[in-house]
């Protein structure tokens, strides 16, 4: 079904309620039963929507996901609620009261902006996606604040809005798109649109965007949630808060934000008692030096983002491990050590090593020897392949 309208009728809504918690394993039986009283196409649309809602719970939470409408691409490409809410707060703090959400998808960002009290002009050229955004604004009681327009963003007049947000499509027929000029619309178009925004603008880009591709008048922000890097955002016109060219890493749920201090690369030093694994957003934002300075530490290797220090200093920006052993990389030696120490759980982490963690774990710990747990870091210490054993600092 390529139209949401039948699902929005009283019959469609009743069916959606009925199939809400359908276990995928029982879908066929449920469909057969429902087809006795309802059109087959409507039944499969309701079951498809229930499946999408279940997938969307991870991003939107059960309560919202259970009321929203999705398309398969819409679930995949939407901004998770925690990240969208954080961004909406930033817009709000910049004094923004209306945003043109260009490429609104099913409305992940538009919903968060409206919930922050911001008026939204939400634009998407895909008819089904725009219909889902409209249905979501209605379902969540935000229709007063969100106007959805089905149009090409390159043809929309945004003069009535004091800020612009662009979340270009970064997936094509062949999967993920890495070249920012192949985004739809291309990054250069989005940057030009951002520069015309009277108060502020934000562009969502892939976290892997090369730093050289960030325009000099933008602030780049890398965002992680629960330790996983979710996205990067280029902010324009936010100069009242941070200078152009600024770089920040923001960790959710905090939020905790680390700003660049323009430090040189940290010095390389021998392993100390502690190893710190910086959050992915810190690594992507190239702010390992800022964290190393806070920790009074240095790098194990000039090219690897592990920080080592003699003292333990708690920080939200890195996970601390106490190191108990340092050995040249050798799987047999590791296997013997795990047996000796009655280890039952092994966590393998690596940076700068070609070893496949799962494969190594199967080889060195085919079955648990006891209840102990160990983390092994496979890395290089001053160029040499090394294993560092330890455990997280509680
Ligand atoms: C990454 S998704 C947006 C997700 C959205 N921020 C959310 O949280 O739900 C990108 C959207 O851009 C739309 N799009 C791509 N090119 C467009 C264009 N030129 N005009 C309007 N919409 C466009 C696609 O249809 C897609 O829905």
């Amino acid at each position: 079904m390529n139209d949401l309208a039948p699902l929005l009728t009283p019959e469609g809504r009743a069916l959606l309620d009925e199939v809400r918690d359908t276990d995928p394993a029982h879908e066929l039986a449920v469909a057969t039963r429902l087809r006795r009283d309802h059109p087959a196409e409507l039944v499969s649309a309701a079951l498809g929507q229930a499946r999408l809602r279940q997938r969307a719970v991870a991003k939107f939470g059960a309560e919202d996901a259970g009321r929203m409408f999705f398309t398969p691409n819409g679930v995949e490409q939407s901004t998770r609620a925690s990240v969208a809410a954080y961004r909406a707060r930033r817009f709000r703090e910049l004094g923004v009261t209306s945003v043109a959400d260009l490429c609104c998808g099913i409305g992940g960002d538009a919903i968060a902006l409206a919930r922050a009290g911001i008026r939204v002009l939400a634009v998407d050229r895909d008819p089904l996606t725009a219909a889902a955004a409209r249905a979501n604004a209605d379902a969540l009681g935000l229709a007063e604040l969100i106007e959805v327009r089905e149009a090409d963003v390159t043809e929309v007049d945004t003069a009535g809005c004091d800020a612009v947000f662009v979340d270009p499509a970064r997936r094509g027929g062949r999967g993920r798109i890495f070249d920012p000029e192949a985004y739809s619309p291309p990054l250069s178009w989005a940057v030009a649109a951002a520069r015309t925004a009277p108060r502020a603008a934000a562009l969502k880009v892939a976290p892997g965007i090369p730093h050289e591709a960030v325009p000099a008048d933008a602030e780049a922000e890398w965002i992680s949630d629960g330790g996983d890097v979710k996205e990067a955002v280029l902010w324009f016109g936010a100069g009242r808060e941070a200078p152009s060219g600024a770089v920040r890493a923001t960790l959710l749920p905090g939020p905790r934000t680390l700003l660049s201090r323009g430090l040189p690369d940290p010095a390389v030093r021998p392993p100390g008692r502690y190893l710190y694994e910086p959050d992915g957003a810190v690594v992507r934002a190239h702010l390992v030096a800022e964290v190393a300075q806070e920790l009074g530490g240095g790098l194990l290797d000039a090219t690897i983002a592990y920080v080592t220090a003699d003292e333990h200093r708690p920080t939200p920006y890195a996970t601390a491990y106490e190191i108990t052993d340092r050995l040249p990389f050798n799987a047999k030696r590791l296997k013997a050590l795990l047996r000796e120490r009655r280890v039952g759980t092994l966590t393998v982490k690596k940076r700068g090593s070609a070893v496949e963690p799962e494969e190594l774990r199967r080889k060195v710990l085919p079955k648990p020897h006891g209840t102990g747990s160990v983390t092994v870091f496979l890395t290089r210490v001053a160029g040499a392949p090394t294993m560092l054993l330890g455990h997280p600092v509680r």
Side-chain angles (χ1 to χ4, degrees), residues 348-365:
V348 183
K349 293 187 169 272
K350 64 160 197 165
R351 279 191 194 279
S353 161
V355 173
E356 191 36 64
E358 245 339 286
E359 216 170 280
L360 179 75
R361 203 209 327 261
R362 274 199 302 274
K363 195 158 145 191
V364 299
L365 193 65

Side-chain angles (χ1 to χ4, degrees), residues 15 107 110 129 139 149 186 203 212 237 281 289 313 328 358 382:
L15 260 183
T129 306
R149 207 175 288 173
L203 313 180
E212 312 79 74
R313 296 186 195 166
E358 245 339 286

Side-chain angles (χ1 to χ4, degrees), residues 79 82-100 109 113 116 118 162-166 187 190-197 199-205 209 213-223 231-250 252 257-259:
T79 305
S82 52
V83 178
Y86 162 73
R87 182 173 22 254
R89 260 199 322 277
R90 259 201 96 180
F91 268 122
R92 188 77 241 187
E93 283 160 14
L94 290 165
V96 166
T97 59
S98 58
V99 171
D109 286 281
L113 288 162
I118 294 171
D162 53 16
V164 162
F165 172 63
V166 195
L187 185 62
V191 169
R195 288 182 178 142
T196 66
R199 189 169 275 274
L203 313 180
K204 179 168 149 184
V205 292
I209 187 170
V214 175
D217 55 338
E219 179 213 279
E221 177 176 35
W222 275 263
I223 302 175
E231 60 178 62
V233 191
L234 309 181
W235 288 90
F236 291 79
R240 284 163 298 282
E241 197 194 348
S244 303
V247 173
R248 60 167 76 201
T250 295
L252 300 177
T257 288
L258 182 69
L259 272 168

Side-chain angles (χ1 to χ4, degrees), residues 74 77-79 101 103-109 123-126 129 151-154 165 167-170 184-185 204:
Q77 300 188 9
S78 55
T79 305
D101 178 4
C103 296
C104 68
I106 54 90
D109 286 281
V123 184
D124 205 289
R125 70 177 170 191
D126 179 60
T129 306
D152 192 302
V153 294
T154 60
F165 172 63
D167 181 3
R170 289 181 274 121
S184 175
K204 179 168 149 184

